[in-house]
Amino acid sequence: MKQTLPTSVVPADMQRIREQMQDYITDAAALPISFICGGERIKGLPARFSPRVKEERKGDVIERTFTGKDETGLEITVVTTEYTDFPVAEIVAYFRGGAQNTPVLRDILAFDGKFRGRRPVLYHNTGDYYSSNGYETRSELMEPNFQTHMNFAPTGGRACDEAFPYFKLQCEGFGLNIAVGWPAQWKANFRSIQGGVAMQAGQEITHLYIRPGETIRTPRITIMAYEGDYARGINLWRRWYFKHILPRPNGKPIPKIMHASYNGGGPEFTESTEQNQLEYIQKYVDSGLPYNCWWIDAGWYPCRGKDGKRDWTLTGSWYPDPERFPNGLAPIGKACDEAGMDLLVWFEPERIRPGLKLVVEHPEWMLKRKDPEVENMLLDLTNPACFKWICETFVKLFNESGIKCYRQDFNFEPLLHWRDNEPDDRKGMLENLYVQAYLAFWDYLLMNVPGLWIDSCSSGGRRNDLETMRRSVPLHPTDYGYGYHHINQAFRHTLFNWIPYVRSWNQSWDRNNEYYSHEDYYAVDDPSIDNFKLVNAMGALTNGVSMSDMRTFPEKIPYVNKMIRIAQRFADLLLRGDFYGLTENHRSNKKWTVFQFDRPECCEGALQVLRNNQAPDESITVYPRQLFGKYKFVNEETGESFIADNPAENGVTFTLPLRAGAIWFYEGICE
């Protein structure tokens, strides 16, 4: 059936956001924040706060800043953002202390309001948690007769750990995309009511007073309204994300990353040296393949344990190991620059291990658990001296070394490190101040390191909320199943709905068309360079081919070059195109996967067609969305082409051997 609405913004979209959010972003008394003070639930900025508002136009947004102060000296600022080019509104609030401590405030909500619509269905997601069931989308019919009440919160203080701070509320005729921007322990609950859904969201626990000079903030709540169906909501979000969220180092969107690396032969990068890094950078340059990023992961810093062996988890000494890098990382940064590559370097600054120099010199910077068995300490970014040290130290290292991509990992749960260090009348305060410092740290880096871009990693994809994504991209959205093609396809199917820029892997953990259970973190990889391995990996904005692959199969280099050219053309469609999953979001290697990326303004797009390693059907027929009229399909790998008439209605059929893939580009034919 022909879709009548385009995936660009139409007036009906802007009308929908006004219907749902206009009062919430323009009327001080109706602002959807709330909190409890002295046993009273206060909503919005009531008259006793003597609210004022200042409105300012900034490019494509109208920003309204509401301020008010009550008799206790508590000052509240609420900033609402109305986008004029997309049906999007955002809300964030700040609470400041006055001349004395404020009364205890509790259950501070960034959003406490209602959405109106018939037969609403709530779509939510499991997030990332090292499981084949990660990024699983689930749905609930929120009918009032069912009295449905859904509560969500992550595990352990990282925003996407077993929960996902992105929601979709699909009603009859329209829908809402909702994001809770908080890189720590958020909560959201949805309750069915007559005529719609009530939503409350904020930091999970707040029971605190604010001291003079302190400021706390709420999560940033982002709401997009859209006319039409679920798929249109996905693509309006993707378009807004590309224009307003995706970071732009040097003023340009982050390009497709073709990364390369060499770890020196040890665990992680504990055997990396200046010599072997320079040697292998040159080898990759000599290969002629268009690499544009050199990746150094964990273990490049001093990390010898008491047994004399290097252990990458001994984090906290953020300078190059002088044994292996006597000249620092600058020679590597220089070689990368000359080769046209960005230097990416891994850090995990928040985790500190016992006995390190930093711990001895600054024990006051360490947040420890009450449980003495827990060794990991959390670097206290809320300490002003600590914050100053990490900002200045990292900027100096990045600029001296030529680091262009800062890869920040976070491999333990911080929640109890915060809560164990908060008194009963300050619950949530340390977490709140920490989140503000974490975001300010990243902002400082981006402001003071020219051309820097950030890779957000947290035991995979466990901290990819929208506040974090405004400053970064997730090159490592999961630690699970690098070589399980069908699992990676399922993860991407979900992530493409919310975060267009993600990375995939070209590893293969299947042999003889068998599926290996993920019992070993480093499952045996198929070393061959083949069609399925490369085409599957094209389903993301970063990937690479290893030097060991090229040395083992040098005859494959011309083929790899050909596939890279295809991937480079495909990349722009991946990022800027509308996305449609033409097959269900499954996790089975017995099924096909087909993704569509469409640029209707250019009358072009592509299909990624994948027959997994136990899919019995030799062919599949799919119905590409929005393709009406005549289209020419071309497979640049094989040179095949065909003309299809009204593919959206008549379908197109693809045939592939078992365990094979293809990228089919298409263009409209004008008659």
Side-chain angles (χ1 to χ4, degrees):
M1 184 176 187
K2 187 168 183 177
Q3 181 173 309
T4 56
L5 289 172
T7 48
S8 54
V9 177
V10 298
D13 298 319
M14 307 306 286
Q15 179 61 29
R16 289 291 187 185
I17 196 67
R18 285 191 291 270
E19 291 172 355
Q20 298 292 335
M21 296 294 295
Q22 190 69 18
D23 289 345
Y24 287 157
I25 63 173
T26 60
D27 182 352
L31 292 169
I33 67 163
S34 74
F35 59 98
I36 295 174
C37 181
E40 177 190 5
R41 169 66 70 179
I42 299 172
K43 299 190 71 172
L45 278 181
R48 75 165 188 258
F49 279 80
S50 302
R52 307 176 305 279
V53 62
K54 176 184 176 183
E55 183 175 305
E56 186 177 2
R57 180 75 177 251
K58 298 180 178 179
D60 293 319
V61 303
I62 298 171
E63 188 173 278
R64 298 180 180 91
T65 303
F66 298 84
T67 57
K69 182 184 291 188
D70 73 357
E71 65 278 2
T72 71
L74 171 64
E75 182 178 342
I76 301 177
T77 299
V78 182
V79 180
T80 69
T81 303
E82 177 184 357
Y83 289 78
T84 58
D85 56 343
F86 281 90
V88 175
E90 296 182 313
I91 300 165
V92 62
Y94 301 86
F95 293 70
R96 296 182 179 88
Q100 57 188 6
N101 293 345
T102 69
V104 170
L105 311 175
R106 60 186 177 90
D107 197 19
I108 300 170
L109 295 174
F111 190 93
D112 185 1
K114 301 174 183 178
F115 301 116
R116 298 170 296 281
R118 290 174 51 83
R119 294 189 60 79
V121 177
L122 177 67
Y123 293 87
H124 55 97
N125 194 278
T126 57
D128 180 43
Y129 58 107
Y130 194 70
S131 168
S132 62
N133 294 320
Y135 294 117
E136 182 180 14
T137 300
R138 301 170 181 173
S139 62
E140 301 288 340
L141 178 62
M142 302 294 289
E143 282 283 53
N145 293 340
F146 299 159
Q147 296 183 340
T148 308
H149 196 165
M150 302 294 296
N151 296 307
F152 303 95
T155 296
R158 293 176 294 180
C160 303
D161 197 344
E162 296 193 63
F164 205 52
Y166 302 87
F167 302 90
K168 188 181 294 290
L169 198 60
Q170 185 67 44
C171 304
E172 284 186 357
F174 78 100
L176 298 166
N177 293 320
I178 302 166
V180 180
W182 189 249
Q185 192 70 13
W186 54 271
K187 67 176 179 182
N189 64 70
F190 297 83
R191 178 170 50 88
S192 58
I193 58 173
Q194 197 65 40
V197 173
M199 171 185 157
Q200 294 182 323
Q203 185 179 343
E204 185 181 50
I205 292 179
T206 46
H207 185 280
L208 51 86
Y209 65 85
I210 304 173
R211 294 171 179 153
E214 286 184 331
T215 299
I216 65 170
R217 60 158 286 186
T218 66
R220 185 187 306 272
I221 306 299
T222 301
I223 311 291
M224 168 183 277
Y226 57 89
E227 191 78 356
D229 63 8
Y230 185 100
R232 187 167 184 274
I234 290 171
N235 289 315
L236 211 59
W237 178 272
R238 285 172 60 91
R239 288 167 176 249
W240 172 74
Y241 191 105
F242 178 80
K243 182 173 181 182
H244 291 286
I245 300 299
L246 184 72
R248 282 170 161 74
N250 295 320
K252 297 180 181 179
I254 298 174
K256 178 179 177 63
I257 301 301
M258 178 81 175
H259 60 78
S261 65
Y262 177 68
N263 71 352
E268 293 294 331
F269 279 67
T270 56
E271 296 302 319
S272 61
T273 66
E274 177 183 322
Q275 180 180 352
N276 62 39
Q277 295 302 289
L278 294 177
E279 176 186 354
Y280 272 78
I281 288 172
Q282 189 58 49
K283 288 180 183 291
Y284 278 96
V285 170
D286 293 343
S287 75
L289 297 178
Y291 294 98
N292 59 1
C293 182
W294 184 258
W295 188 310
I296 298 178
D297 216 88
W300 54 272
Y301 37 84
C303 56
R304 284 197 186 276
K306 293 179 181 179
D307 59 2
K309 297 180 181 179
R310 294 192 186 100
D311 177 359
W312 70 270
T313 68
L314 298 179
T315 53
S317 300
W318 299 116
Y319 54 91
D321 184 353
E323 292 183 33
R324 295 175 287 147
F325 300 97
N327 303 299
L329 296 179
I332 299 167
K334 182 174 183 291
C336 287
D337 186 59
E338 292 172 350
M341 292 193 285
D342 283 355
L343 174 58
L344 176 155
V345 181
W346 180 98
F347 293 78
E348 192 182 359
E350 294 160 288
R351 178 167 65 159
I352 308 294
R353 301 298 297 276
L356 296 180
K357 180 181 178 183
L358 192 65
V359 178
V360 174
E361 293 182 349
H362 294 286
E364 75 279 10
W365 293 0
M366 307 299 144
L367 293 173
K368 299 179 181 179
R369 286 282 311 281
K370 290 180 179 178
D371 183 352
E373 298 298 317
V374 177
E375 287 192 347
N376 286 329
M377 291 173 282
L378 182 66
L379 188 68
D380 187 3
L381 299 179
T382 72
N383 181 297
C386 178
F387 181 80
K388 181 176 186 293
W389 169 82
I390 194 171
C391 287
E392 293 178 352
T393 298
F394 278 40
V395 164
K396 183 174 184 291
L397 176 62
F398 293 0
N399 285 327
E400 289 178 350
S401 303
I403 294 171
K404 292 301 182 186
C405 178
Y406 169 54
R407 173 169 167 77
Q408 181 167 323
D409 208 340
F410 194 23
N411 287 308
F412 71 103
E413 298 178 354
L415 185 59
L416 292 182
H417 286 76
W418 295 320
R419 292 187 176 173
D420 282 358
N421 290 280
E422 294 171 333
D424 289 342
D425 55 1
R426 297 270 284 176
K427 292 296 184 185
M429 176 58 79
L430 186 56
E431 174 190 343
N432 198 288
L433 296 177
Y434 189 97
V435 165
Q436 293 183 69
Y438 154 76
L439 295 173
F441 168 51
W442 279 22
D443 289 341
Y444 186 90
L445 296 179
L446 292 167
M447 185 179 299
N448 290 280
V449 182
L452 185 73
W453 54 286
I454 299 176
D455 165 23
S456 171
C457 181
S458 182
S459 298
R462 305 193 200 195
R463 188 161 59 173
N464 290 335
D465 65 290
L466 197 58
E467 283 292 82
T468 299
M469 292 296 93
R470 291 175 190 274
R471 300 159 171 84
S472 65
V473 292
L475 300 190
H476 204 79
T478 185
D479 271 340
Y480 184 85
Y482 303 156
Y484 290 161
H485 302 298
H486 53 294
I487 300 298
N488 275 299
Q489 293 159 20
F491 289 175
R492 294 200 304 273
H493 198 144
T494 296
L495 285 166
F496 284 148
N497 295 350
W498 296 107
I499 305 173
Y501 196 111
V502 295
R503 170 174 170 247
S504 187
W505 290 265
N506 58 15
Q507 291 171 271
S508 294
W509 292 350
D510 55 339
R511 303 265 186 126
N512 302 319
N513 297 327
E514 295 179 3
Y515 170 49
Y516 283 72
S517 62
H518 193 146
E519 296 170 353
D520 183 355
Y521 186 89
Y522 292 102
V524 176
D525 186 26
D526 180 349
S528 61
I529 296 176
D530 60 25
N531 156 276
F532 192 61
K533 184 174 186 174
L534 296 182
V535 173
N536 185 73
M538 286 185 197
L541 273 296
T542 66
N543 48 56
V545 178
S546 74
M547 179 58 66
S548 60
D549 285 348
M550 291 188 294
R551 294 176 72 181
T552 306
F553 305 97
E555 74 282 359
K556 289 283 190 176
I557 290 180
Y559 174 68
V560 171
N561 253 319
K562 181 179 186 179
M563 298 302 285
I564 288 173
R565 288 196 298 273
I566 294 172
Q568 288 173 327
R569 179 181 175 189
F570 189 38
D572 189 59
L573 295 169
L574 271 169
L575 184 57
R576 302 184 66 179
D578 296 332
F579 168 69
Y580 302 100
L582 300 184
T583 49
E584 63 179 311
N585 191 343
H586 64 81
R587 289 152 203 265
S588 172
N589 62 336
K590 297 181 180 180
K591 296 181 179 180
W592 290 61
T593 295
V594 184
F595 295 150
Q596 178 188 5
F597 298 91
D598 184 52
R599 293 288 306 280
E601 297 89 346
C602 308
C603 205
E604 67 176 7
L607 302 184
Q608 183 185 29
V609 183
L610 300 162
R611 182 183 177 188
N612 284 302
N613 68 345
Q614 288 190 24
D617 296 333
E618 294 182 355
S619 62
I620 187 171
T621 299
V622 293
Y623 297 83
R625 296 288 295 268
Q626 301 291 79
L627 302 194
F628 302 95
K630 289 187 181 296
Y631 284 81
K632 181 178 182 180
F633 286 76
V634 177
N635 182 333
E636 292 188 352
E637 179 186 355
T638 65
E640 299 171 273
S641 66
F642 64 88
I643 305 295
D645 189 20
N646 283 330
E649 294 178 345
N650 300 326
V652 287
T653 300
F654 300 99
T655 300
L656 284 173
L658 202 62
R659 195 181 180 277
I663 302 295
W664 285 90
F665 295 101
Y666 60 78
E667 293 181 354
I669 299 175
C670 297
E671 296 181 316

